[in-house]
Amino acid sequence: MSTDTTATDSTIAPPLIDLPIRTASRGFYDGFSRAVTIPSKIIVSLLIMWAIFFPVSASETLNAANSTIIATFAGWYVYLVAFLMLVCFALALVPSAGRLRIGEADEKPEFNRFSWFAMLFGAGIGIGMLTYSTGEPLAHFSNNPDIIRGAIEARSSEAVRPAYVYTFLHWGFAAWGTYALVGLAIGYVSYRRGLPLTIRSALAPLFGLRLSGIWGHIIDVVAVVATILGVAVTMGLGVEQFIAGLARLGLGDWLLDGDGSSSALAIVLALLVLVGASTLSALSGVGRGIKWLSNLNMGLSFALLALFLVVGSGLYGAQLLGVGLWDYLVTLVPNSLTLFDDTGSAISEALVQWQLDWSVFYWAWWIAFAPFVGMFIARISRGRTVREYVLGVLLVPSLMCFVWMTLVGGTAIDLELSGAANGAIVDAPMADQLFATLAILLDPAIAAIVSGLVVILLMTYLVTSTDSAILIVNTINGAGESEGQRRRHILFWGAALAFVVGSMLILGGIDAIRITMIIGALPFSFVVAAMAVSIVKAVAFDIVRKRHGVPTTAEACAEAAEAS
């Protein structure tokens, strides 16, 4: 079939419903695209060897590259994410676009709404919530643009409200709009037009059959590398908090260095356990084990949230949620479009640095994480309308993030404002702040039990996230075929993730992983921008096709071909 073409007054061509991607039919790479898998492995392997064997050179080069990229592309990240949010809302709110279905015209969703929302919750809320539910509000409670300008005092009651404006900015529609856009661009063409469930397919409305060749291979390679680096940040945060939890449980001083950071030995042992379990889970596929872990994640997460609601500052958290939602919606547009300029003053320099450390880092993280989360969301959203998909993915997970941040983070802030914490929470390393909050909030014996449950929750989230990432990477390498996994490739990607996280944590802590991820996310950011244009074109042309009676789905195209 021909690809999308320009509409005329009388007709428009049917969509592309076949995008062949060459895969090996035998040998080590049976079922995989060698043109994607081999370059991806080489790039990740070179990064690992560079960090391990040339740590000083790697550290200096990464820092220099990061400074250049941040200075040059900060505005690109800020305006790109704002554009992604705009596209998502436009597709949902335009009636003719919102009614289109991700799949055949009469197809029903595979999962009911409760199960769908539960899986959306598990896709992007997990390790980050456990680290940042206290870490982010407390960080902005100590330093945010209003404090930098001198309008309010740090760690005062006046600092709480702006702290949540920026917390919600980072964990709300910006994050979930990025995921929603990538997932919609992939799922729409895969399930509606029968194209492979892989990254390059999302750009088929723009580039057509040219994506069967080298340009499609490059897009998928960039997506694989971005996924590995994006997941590495999440794993790095989880590993640091996992080790901090073990130290809180009294498993030995050897877990932490003198500055409170994780020791090299603790990092190595934690990764051996966690990535080893993830790899074993990936080898077994998505079976009873992974379903049991997912159910355990959900149960422990809500139990922890209920604990903070009942024992923590539940009423204060509810007030923060209500005020925070209002402030977030009122300031969403200006804050999403604000790009601080360095005019030479100390204040402007501090504002620029704050935005680079927080907003730009987050936008890069969400973009790097989008191939993984976007493909997962696409796989569970077949049969839903564009409107239901966009609003569901944007609103429900964002609200859950806000609830976590206000109940858990609000409790920590309340303990600091009341003097009960006396700096013990806000001055603790971010990885330890949740455990520090529990230690002040609860009796020592109960705090130890709950901390132990948090450590278990961290472990299960790490295992399920890493397992899913490995399977998604193999799906991209397998030209969209999730059935083509091979044990050797699963073992490689499990080991690669462990080495990326371990080498970077030991090389320069979580900052080294962040820097590497920001650099790795840059190429994929251009792919995401093209995805936004591509999905708009796909939807617009399908609307025109419907008006002209031209088939818009793979099944309808096949029926029309048979009839002719």
Side-chain angles (χ1 to χ4, degrees):
M1 300 293 293
S2 62
T3 165
D4 294 287
T5 57
T6 304
T8 67
D9 291 337
S10 58
T11 187
I12 182 173
L16 177 73
I17 59 170
D18 183 31
L19 184 65
I21 303 173
R22 185 177 179 182
T23 57
S25 57
R26 55 190 173 84
F28 186 79
Y29 288 98
D30 180 24
F32 285 80
S33 168
R34 289 192 179 97
V36 175
T37 309
I38 294 175
S40 300
K41 288 183 175 180
I42 290 173
I43 292 170
V44 173
S45 297
L46 289 175
L47 176 64
I48 292 168
M49 289 188 288
W50 186 36
I52 291 175
F53 296 112
F54 305 99
V56 175
S57 170
S59 180
E60 292 175 351
T61 305
L62 286 174
N63 278 291
N66 180 60
S67 300
T68 302
I69 287 174
I70 286 295
T72 306
F73 292 99
W76 164 250
Y77 279 126
V78 169
Y79 296 130
L80 172 60
V81 171
F83 174 62
L84 300 180
M85 287 190 282
L86 176 63
V87 170
C88 283
F89 280 115
L91 289 173
L93 298 179
V94 173
S96 54
R99 287 193 295 266
L100 291 172
R101 197 168 293 276
I102 305 172
E104 298 295 334
D106 57 350
E107 194 166 353
K108 300 300 181 184
E110 182 179 358
F111 304 100
N112 61 44
R113 283 181 179 169
F114 178 81
S115 298
W116 185 54
F117 289 145
M119 285 186 282
L120 290 178
F121 174 87
I125 305 173
I127 298 167
M129 281 291 91
L130 292 175
T131 300
Y132 282 100
S133 58
T134 50
E136 176 130 7
L138 285 170
H140 300 325
F141 176 61
S142 301
N143 188 42
N144 65 58
D146 291 350
I147 294 172
I148 293 170
R149 295 188 186 101
I152 56 176
E153 184 181 348
R155 301 186 181 183
S156 65
S157 58
E158 291 78 17
V160 177
R161 196 163 174 174
Y164 275 96
V165 168
Y166 296 109
T167 297
F168 285 12
L169 174 69
H170 295 149
W171 287 85
F173 298 157
W176 291 97
T178 303
Y179 298 156
L181 189 284
V182 172
L184 180 61
I186 297 168
Y188 189 87
V189 297
S190 294
Y191 296 130
R192 193 174 178 87
R193 303 182 178 185
L195 301 187
L197 187 70
T198 189
I199 303 300
R200 73 176 77 186
S201 295
L203 301 184
L206 289 180
F207 303 112
L209 287 171
R210 281 171 288 183
L211 293 173
S212 289
I214 186 170
W215 289 110
H217 302 329
I218 291 172
I219 289 166
D220 281 347
V221 169
V222 167
V224 169
V225 175
T227 299
I228 292 296
L229 296 178
V231 173
V233 172
T234 302
M235 283 187 63
L237 291 169
V239 166
E240 287 202 325
Q241 194 169 24
F242 179 74
I243 293 170
L246 294 177
R248 280 275 176 179
L249 294 175
L251 269 66
D253 296 336
W254 61 275
L255 291 165
L256 302 175
D257 288 331
D259 60 355
S261 61
S262 303
S263 68
L265 178 59
I267 291 169
V268 171
L269 292 178
L271 284 170
L272 283 173
V273 172
L274 297 169
V275 178
S278 303
T279 306
L280 289 174
S281 177
L283 287 170
S284 65
V286 185
R288 293 182 179 178
I290 197 66
K291 290 180 181 178
W292 182 83
L293 284 176
S294 298
N295 290 336
L296 180 62
N297 289 346
M298 188 72 70
L300 288 177
S301 296
F302 279 109
L304 183 63
L305 199 60
L307 174 73
F308 277 93
L309 178 63
V310 175
V311 181
S313 305
L315 181 59
Y316 183 61
Q319 293 172 340
L320 288 176
L321 178 62
V323 173
L325 279 172
W326 170 257
D327 288 346
Y328 171 62
L329 294 175
V330 169
T331 61
L332 177 60
V333 173
N335 282 343
S336 297
L337 296 174
T338 295
L339 181 66
F340 294 124
D341 292 322
D342 187 353
T343 60
S345 68
I347 291 177
S348 66
E349 183 179 341
L351 288 171
V352 169
Q353 191 59 51
W354 179 90
Q355 189 170 40
L356 298 181
D357 290 342
W358 287 99
S359 300
V360 175
F361 159 69
Y362 272 122
W363 298 172
W365 188 9
W366 304 149
I367 288 169
F369 215 48
F372 164 43
V373 179
M375 282 191 66
F376 175 80
I377 294 175
R379 290 178 71 173
I380 65 173
S381 301
R382 183 169 187 165
R384 301 199 177 274
T385 64
V386 170
R387 180 177 298 109
E388 181 184 15
Y389 168 90
V390 171
L391 295 181
V393 175
L394 276 178
L395 300 180
V396 177
S398 294
L399 183 59
M400 286 306 304
C401 286
F402 299 161
V403 170
W404 268 89
M405 297 291 187
T406 50
L407 284 181
V408 181
T411 297
I413 288 176
D414 193 32
L415 290 171
E416 288 290 351
L417 288 174
S418 68
N422 196 27
I425 302 174
V426 73
D427 292 331
M430 186 178 288
D432 190 44
Q433 286 178 333
L434 177 57
F435 298 108
T437 303
L438 292 170
I440 295 170
L441 187 65
L442 305 171
D443 291 334
I446 299 176
I449 294 172
V450 176
S451 295
L453 291 175
V454 172
V455 169
I456 294 172
L457 183 57
L458 274 166
M459 183 171 65
T460 56
Y461 268 129
L462 279 163
V463 169
T464 51
S465 296
T466 307
D467 160 57
S468 300
I470 292 170
L471 294 178
I472 289 295
V473 165
N474 264 355
T475 300
I476 298 173
N477 289 333
E481 290 294 330
S482 59
E483 303 301 323
Q485 277 78 25
R486 295 294 184 273
R487 299 174 68 88
R488 294 160 291 192
H489 302 287
I490 289 174
L491 291 171
F492 173 85
W493 291 113
L497 268 172
F499 276 110
V500 168
V501 175
S503 60
M504 291 298 169
L505 279 179
I506 295 170
L507 171 68
I510 195 66
D511 287 340
I513 302 180
R514 287 177 173 175
I515 290 170
T516 310
M517 182 273 298
I518 289 173
I519 296 169
L522 181 61
F524 190 69
S525 69
F526 296 103
V527 176
V528 173
M531 282 182 171
V533 177
S534 182
I535 187 60
V536 169
K537 179 181 180 183
V539 169
F541 273 55
D542 277 357
I543 292 171
V544 175
R545 289 187 181 101
K546 290 185 70 175
R547 290 174 181 168
H548 288 278
V550 177
T552 61
T553 66
E555 183 178 300
C557 286
E559 291 174 354
E562 288 179 6
S564 62

